[in-house]
Amino acid sequence: PPLPARTRVTAAGPASRTAPVVLGIAVFVIGALVGALSLEMLRRRRQITAPEPATATGGTAEWLAAPVLIAAPDPPCPVAEAQPSELLIGVLGTFTINGIPAALKPAQSQLLLSLALCGEEAISSARMCYLLGPDPDHPKPGDSLRQLITRTRRQLGRSSDGREWIEHRGGGWYSLHPDTRFDWDEFEELSERGIRESERALLSSALVLVRGEPFRDCDWWWLDQAFLQTVVAQITETALTLAELELIASDGRASAHAARTGLGVDPADERLWRALMRAEHEAGRPAGVEDAWNACLTVLADIALDGQPHQDTAALHRELTA
């Protein structure tokens, strides 16, 4: 920039010997100060942006040594977590695998149920393709069936002997591992023996397996309605037999419990309502008799042709409340 007037006059005069020396020292000092300031600013900037140095023990800084976060894999099937060496298929209530509802996808559950209903007998892949299709006119493709079996095997894991739960018998025939448990098979065996031998312990063990309406959520087209009615009839017959045996043994509470278990499956069975009223009377609970009678009337009002109970039910109510 242009010098002030006083500076121009001084500079125009004769220069002394010390002027260049003083001027050089001033320039040097100013340059040193500017350089030091620039180095300090650069050092601070590096401290902010640069990574931390290695630690004294040779390790890297904490943020650099932290593991890289990756997407978590899909959680394992709850079947494998529940009991990896056991496979229990439950249909006496909501469909479950090892006691867990919706443990598998619907197609996988349908596959296991079709195999379980065959018992120890094998089922052909052609038959499974037919059953697992959306309707009778559209069977499942063979490749899709093989992929479904592979995925289901992987999710179920292996049995205690290392074998697959879904076994290939050769020639396109499949069956479940012999150790597979099916609650309907167990119930049927206990029930038939208990009714035949009039054994309360067997009948009670059978009813323990009943969790509600059988085959709930199993709305697949190939399930035979006649078979489902047979299952319901077997459960109610078991409950009625046990209720009567407990009543003979003067155990009104156990008799009432058996009757209620049967009514939870078929509330329209008046034989069970009569058994429940007798059990409540035996237990010395007249209020329980009235509750059973009123509940029976409520149920039959919606399903009976005339909305009235059978004459035997009404006669029993009059007798017990006389």
Side-chain angles (χ1 to χ4, degrees):
L3 297 174
R6 182 179 302 177
T7 305
R8 287 200 301 268
V9 172
T10 304
S16 62
R17 294 181 178 179
T18 61
V21 177
V22 174
L23 182 59
I25 293 174
V27 172
F28 175 78
V29 172
I30 294 174
L33 293 175
V34 172
L37 181 61
S38 300
L39 290 175
E40 179 64 18
M41 293 177 63
L42 180 61
R43 185 182 65 82
R44 292 183 179 182
R45 181 177 299 177
R46 287 181 176 178
Q47 287 179 343
I48 296 175
T49 60
E52 294 182 7
T55 60
T57 59
T60 57
E62 181 179 356
W63 70 270
L64 186 60
V68 179
L69 297 179
I70 59 176
D74 294 335
C77 176
V79 172
E81 294 181 351
Q83 297 179 11
S85 61
E86 184 178 11
L87 177 58
L88 171 60
I89 302 174
V91 295
L92 298 181
T94 302
F95 186 90
T96 59
I97 299 294
N98 288 351
I100 304 175
L104 298 175
K105 294 182 179 180
Q108 295 172 322
S109 300
Q110 196 174 175
L111 168 67
L112 288 181
L113 181 57
S114 65
L115 291 167
L117 289 174
C118 292
E120 297 179 356
E121 299 180 359
I123 182 174
S124 66
S125 57
R127 177 67 176 171
M128 283 193 290
C129 286
Y130 171 73
L131 295 178
L132 302 183
D135 54 64
D137 298 327
H138 299 85
K140 194 177 190 68
D143 291 342
S144 299
L145 175 63
R146 286 189 290 272
Q147 294 174 6
L148 177 63
I149 292 175
T150 300
R151 290 196 301 269
T152 307
R153 280 172 167 171
R154 184 167 53 246
Q155 287 192 265
L156 292 177
R158 292 180 178 269
S159 61
S160 57
D161 58 7
R163 292 159 57 184
E164 302 279 2
W165 285 109
I166 302 178
E167 297 186 330
H168 184 221
R169 298 258 187 109
W173 290 77
Y174 294 87
S175 67
L176 290 176
H177 189 283
D179 291 344
T180 301
R181 295 175 55 197
F182 188 30
D183 63 350
W184 164 242
D185 285 345
E186 296 181 4
F187 174 88
E188 191 175 27
E189 180 181 356
L190 292 169
S191 170
E192 291 178 352
R193 285 183 53 199
I195 293 176
R196 183 172 59 252
E197 301 172 8
S198 297
E199 179 58 50
R200 289 184 293 163
L202 293 175
L203 296 173
S204 180
S205 298
L207 288 183
V208 167
L209 300 174
V210 179
R211 297 173 284 109
E213 178 187 355
F215 291 91
R216 188 183 303 166
D217 301 332
C218 299
D219 52 348
W220 299 310
W221 66 266
W222 52 269
L223 274 175
D224 185 30
Q225 293 301 314
F227 167 70
L228 298 181
Q229 293 175 3
T230 300
V231 173
V232 172
Q234 185 71 21
I235 295 175
T236 55
E237 195 66 30
T238 302
L240 181 62
T241 303
L242 180 59
E244 292 174 347
L245 291 175
E246 296 290 8
L247 196 60
I248 294 174
S250 300
D251 193 341
R253 293 182 179 273
S255 177
H257 178 73
R260 288 192 179 94
T261 302
L263 288 169
V265 174
D266 186 6
D269 194 329
E270 289 191 55
R271 300 177 304 165
L272 291 171
W273 286 115
R274 292 195 289 270
L276 179 58
M277 286 192 292
R278 293 192 189 97
E280 294 289 358
H281 183 267
E282 175 66 26
R285 294 186 299 213
V289 176
E290 283 299 322
D291 291 342
W293 167 252
N294 292 328
C296 176
L297 293 178
T298 301
V299 171
L300 296 179
D302 296 331
I303 60 177
L305 294 178
D306 56 357
Q308 297 298 319
H310 191 273
Q311 58 182 0
D312 292 345
T313 308
L316 177 64
H317 174 256
R318 291 193 298 269
E319 175 187 346
L320 296 180
T321 56

